[in-house]
Amino acid sequence: MENLKNIPFKVRRVYYLYDVPGGEGRGGHAHKELQQFVIAVSGAFDVMLDDGTNKKIVHLDRSFFGLHIVPGIWRELLDFSSGAICLVLASDKYNQTDYISDYKDFKSYSDEV
């Protein structure tokens, strides 16, 4: 993967989720500015995307496909298969003030944008 070629932004942070119990989920937040590229490098999981009006579920189960999540989208990672590994490439370093962790706050934010 290359910045601004396969990934539509410059990667400034990389992290992964692992040892998530089968059937469980993670996430449940949005970002004001951060972009992310999410890849199932092993196993499978679903990503629920919500723009404040519409919801969509994307199933990730191939290491050669990724999902670009833009700012202002609520996301939840759901239904991890046993042993799944989720790789996340992020456009910036960790910044707690960029998170919207409460869904009611997200709805207010998405109505403003």
Side-chain angles (χ1 to χ4, degrees):
M1 291 181 268
E2 296 178 43
N3 286 329
L4 303 173
K5 185 174 181 182
N6 312 100
I7 307 301
F9 52 81
K10 288 188 178 183
V11 176
R12 305 249 351 252
R13 181 171 74 135
V14 176
Y15 65 93
Y16 58 98
L17 305 171
Y18 63 97
D19 284 342
V20 178
E24 293 292 314
R26 294 290 182 267
H29 64 273
H31 290 281
K32 298 173 188 170
E33 296 183 22
L34 186 79
Q35 297 181 63
Q36 293 177 316
F37 201 79
V38 180
I39 304 164
V41 294
S42 180
F45 52 88
D46 293 331
V47 183
M48 190 279 297
L49 303 168
D50 180 347
D51 66 3
T53 303
N54 301 297
K55 293 182 182 182
K56 179 179 183 174
I57 293 181
V58 177
H59 183 73
L60 295 177
D61 64 356
R62 300 280 189 259
S63 61
F64 49 85
F65 286 117
L67 176 64
H68 180 207
I69 304 176
V70 297
I73 300 292
W74 184 268
R75 83 285 317 274
E76 295 179 31
L77 283 68
L78 308 168
D79 199 23
F80 276 75
S81 67
S82 183
I85 300 173
C86 170
L87 176 67
V88 181
L89 308 175
S91 64
D92 211 344
K93 298 175 185 174
Y94 175 80
N95 177 359
Q96 179 61 39
T97 63
D98 187 59
Y99 279 74
I100 305 170
S101 299
D102 181 89
Y103 191 76
K104 289 181 185 176
D105 293 342
F106 166 72
K107 287 292 286 177
S108 296
Y109 178 82
S110 66
D111 290 343
E112 293 174 9
V113 177

